[in-house]
Amino acid sequence: MNDQSNHDKGISSSAILLLLFLTFLNMLNFADRALLGNLAKQVHEDLQISYEMIGLLTGFGFVLFYTLMGVLLGTVADRWNRPRLMAAGLALWSVLTAATGMARNLFQVACCRAFVGVGEATLSPSALSMLGDVFKPKYRAFASGFYYAGIPLGAGIGMIASSYILPAYGWRGCFVILGLAGTVFVLPLLLLTDPKRGAMEEIQPQQETSTEAKPSFWMMVGKLFSTMKRSPALSLTIVASSMQSYAMASGVFALAWLQVER
């Protein structure tokens, strides 16, 4: 069955494969992101970095770069080849995750974490945009939910993987091995075809002419705020999601607490 018939009748096999691949990258994303929290005790003891500073690096410091760059790179994803953008981000966050394992002080760890946030910020805007172009509107909630299942799965896999690597290679080995593992998937991303934008919309967008300028970053920010003003439900959803993140972040030091208090 070809993709055209699947477009009419359901979900194409290529869309499912893309969803699985992007979800796997999201798992890898969160496995790398959670490492500093998972190994907080070992980093604290080796580099003499306080738990307060580790909390700042895993929390506000990381989120600041991730959030700001996520908005900016979301506009880039609207204009550039999305697989190549994700490939650049994957290479950046993987190499910087590995570089964290070579850090010797707080400043070096902080720099690595900041650029890990920049690299990881390329993934979700591009991934969700691509999924919207291969899934019909009635299946997009399923695709988004499946993609975001990579968050708990990735965090759990990172915890399990580090528990096996740590005894043999130490906390530095955990960062180096899991970081470099991500570079393996840079080439497959570069070979991935960027789906046609708007291909699954019920009303096809008009073809842009070369003289038509795309809206600027600040125009898009202004449109976002005007949309939030018109839609209280959207504003409340954003606030609730932010509050949920605070609750999730409270578990960052769970492993460190269990190791210290055992």
Side-chain angles (χ1 to χ4, degrees):
M1 183 178 293
N2 58 35
D3 283 350
Q4 180 61 40
S5 62
N6 281 326
H7 173 79
D8 297 332
K9 297 183 178 180
I11 304 174
S12 68
S13 57
S14 60
I16 292 295
L17 290 174
L18 178 63
L19 176 59
L20 291 173
F21 182 49
L22 294 178
T23 301
F24 173 78
L25 293 181
N26 203 25
M27 292 167 59
L28 189 63
N29 176 359
F30 275 83
D32 289 347
R33 186 185 304 189
L35 272 181
L36 186 57
N38 292 343
L39 301 168
K41 180 176 182 292
Q42 288 73 27
V43 175
H44 164 73
E45 293 175 346
D46 191 3
L47 300 183
Q48 299 301 303
I49 299 176
S50 68
Y51 283 120
E52 290 81 5
M53 289 306 304
I54 293 175
L56 183 63
L57 293 177
T58 58
F60 181 78
F62 178 88
V63 170
L64 177 65
F65 281 91
Y66 182 82
T67 302
L68 294 177
M69 294 305 299
V71 175
L72 176 61
L73 291 168
T75 65
V76 175
D78 288 334
R79 293 161 168 76
W80 203 37
N81 182 284
R82 291 167 290 186
R84 292 179 184 174
L85 178 61
M86 289 190 293
L90 174 59
L92 180 64
W93 96 59
S94 298
V95 170
L96 268 296
T97 296
T100 306
M102 305 174 190
R104 299 295 173 182
N105 53 53
L106 172 62
F107 176 76
Q108 293 176 0
V109 174
C111 288
C112 290
R113 290 295 295 178
F115 284 101
V116 166
V118 173
E120 291 186 349
T122 64
L123 180 61
S124 287
S126 298
L128 292 173
S129 174
M130 290 174 67
L131 291 175
D133 290 333
V134 298
F135 282 90
K136 295 165 68 173
K138 65 180 179 180
Y139 297 121
R140 287 175 188 165
F142 158 75
S144 298
F146 193 96
Y147 170 79
Y148 278 114
I151 296 177
L153 289 174
I157 288 172
M159 191 181 300
I160 294 170
S162 60
S163 71
Y164 282 98
I165 299 172
L166 180 63
Y169 301 101
W171 72 268
R172 295 182 183 277
C174 292
F175 279 97
V176 172
I177 293 171
L178 290 178
L180 293 181
T183 61
V184 175
F185 302 97
V186 172
L187 181 58
L189 264 177
L190 289 173
L191 298 176
L192 192 64
T193 301
D194 196 4
K196 180 182 176 181
R197 297 178 189 268
M200 287 295 178
E201 298 300 327
E202 295 177 355
I203 300 177
Q204 292 296 317
Q206 292 183 348
Q207 197 72 16
E208 291 184 354
T209 66
S210 57
T211 58
E212 286 182 312
K214 291 189 175 182
S216 69
F217 170 74
W218 293 113
M219 290 174 62
M220 296 179 70
V221 171
K223 187 175 181 62
L224 170 63
F225 280 105
S226 64
T227 302
M228 291 173 61
K229 186 176 181 180
R230 295 196 309 269
S231 175
L234 175 60
S235 301
L236 289 173
T237 300
I238 294 174
V239 171
S241 298
S242 300
M243 295 179 68
Q244 182 190 32
S245 297
Y246 281 100
M248 293 173 61
S250 64
V252 167
F253 290 112
L255 283 179
W257 177 77
L258 290 171
Q259 292 176 75
V260 172
E261 298 294 330
R262 63 177 179 173

